[in-house]
DNA sequence: TAAAAATGGACTAAAATAGTCGTATATAAA
DNA sequence: TTTATATACGACTATTTTAGTCCATTTTTA
């Protein structure tokens, strides 16, 4: 119920690999997917999203691949999650903004406001933890 | 990706109702499901689980229903989650114990160990927060 | 130009969540 | 002792989310 998605797990594994093994050198998606036996297509998409978010640099063509765009200390877990899940925050409830969205009891719900406190504790944690802590 | 399930949300809403509106008096599942327009059957199961876990008392028969089994300060979010999800902890990754379970890259995964740090921060938070904080 | 790599959209499969249905059991009150 | 009301519980279905696949395109280097 509170699991990280595979996208995030694979993303973290990849970032770790690029940071540690790559260490400045270009690393390809294939290299990582082979190493960890992760679906190439899936991992490729994860890397594309990380590149789009400016977390890693991407290089086309024959000797192409990826490098980190900044030092591991500066890559926060929150931005990895944002890049891969596309949500503005890691929301404990689906109704965080103010639209009823999908929840049928939105206007009668009594817990969404107090739950924001827990939300901010989680947000703070994720924005403080950098991927250098998983190296 | 980190959402509480509806089970938990409904559980918290119900606990809040029993604590505040009930205030010692017996409250029925129907009363709560009517009030918030939550599926009766779904809510009933949630309440049954909370009762089984000793968080609320249940009373059969005509004037039956539920009351809190302890004071709101003593009902921790962690035990509500445990009661409703049946997992021993709120796990950020599916592989926390040591079995390969469902993950195909278990033995090659490099992040599960460092992720435990984040896990314990989350665990601590949930075992400190009581439902009195959502009243 | 050929090979190697990233990009990106559409699609399918699998798993988790949410919700429903039917029936049994217990209890209070009439 | 019957009836109405309430919890208990297992099996089932539907919906949504997540995971994974496929395929065609673009870019670059050798
Ligand atoms: S139940 Fe409440 S907290 Fe949960 S999604 Fe609905 S409005 Fe939000
Ligand atoms: S990818 Fe790693 S952390 Fe995630 S479930 Fe598999 S072994 Fe666990």
């Amino acid at each position: 119920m509170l699991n990280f998605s595979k996208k995030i797990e694979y993303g973290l594994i990849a970032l770790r690999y690029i940071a540690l093994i790559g260490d400045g050198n270009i690393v390809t998606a294939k290299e990582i997917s082979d190493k960890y036996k992760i679906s190439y297509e899936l991992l490729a998409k994860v890397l594309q999203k990380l590149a789009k978010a400016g977390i890693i640099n991407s290089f086309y063509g024959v000797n192409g691949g990826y490098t980190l765009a900044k030092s591991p200390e500066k890559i926060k877990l929150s931005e990895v999650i944002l890049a891969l899940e596309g949500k503005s925050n890691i929301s404990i409830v689906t109704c965080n903004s103010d639209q009823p969205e999908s929840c049928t009891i939105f206007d009668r719900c009594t817990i969404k406001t107090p739950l924001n406190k827990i939300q901010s504790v989680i947000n703070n944690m994720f924005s403080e933890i950098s991927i250098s802590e998983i190296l």
Side-chain angles (χ1 to χ4, degrees), chain A:
Chain A
M1 53 131 309
L2 277 174
N3 275 204
F4 277 139
S5 64
K6 291 292 175 199
K7 267 190 288 193
I8 291 177
E9 294 185 2
Y10 296 165
L12 292 175
I13 289 172
L15 285 171
R16 182 178 181 278
Y17 187 91
I18 297 170
L20 275 187
I21 315 293
D23 193 33
N25 299 315
I26 277 187
V27 172
T28 68
K30 181 137 204 324
E31 183 178 343
I32 302 174
S33 74
D34 280 352
K35 181 86 171 190
Y36 297 106
K37 307 252 190 333
I38 299 171
S39 153
Y40 168 76
E41 291 88 350
L42 209 48
L43 179 66
K45 293 205 167 162
V46 164
L47 291 170
Q48 282 162 30
K49 285 187 178 177
L50 291 176
K52 215 167 187 179
I55 295 168
I56 56 179
N57 301 124
S58 71
F59 302 96
Y60 272 81
V62 173
N63 292 323
Y66 301 93
T67 59
L68 287 193
K70 35 187 170 176
S71 67
E73 298 79 36
K74 287 185 184 153
I75 302 175
K76 302 300 183 183
L77 202 37
S78 55
E79 56 179 320
V80 174
I81 294 171
L82 172 59
L84 296 178
E85 300 287 353
K87 294 168 190 162
S88 54
N89 59 357
I90 305 105
S91 44
I92 228 173
V93 292
T94 40
C95 61
N96 46 319
S97 46
D98 49 38
Q99 298 93 334
E101 289 180 15
S102 55
C103 186
T104 51
I105 63 162
F106 180 84
D107 53 336
R108 287 170 297 272
C109 176
T110 56
I111 56 163
K112 52 181 178 292
T113 309
L115 245 36
N116 286 334
K117 175 192 166 173
I118 302 172
Q119 183 69 66
S120 58
V121 174
I122 293 177
N123 288 157
N124 287 343
M125 178 185 65
F126 285 146
S127 55
E128 278 164 15
I129 297 174
S130 74
I131 68 133
S132 63
E133 308 195 42
I134 60 159
L135 302 184

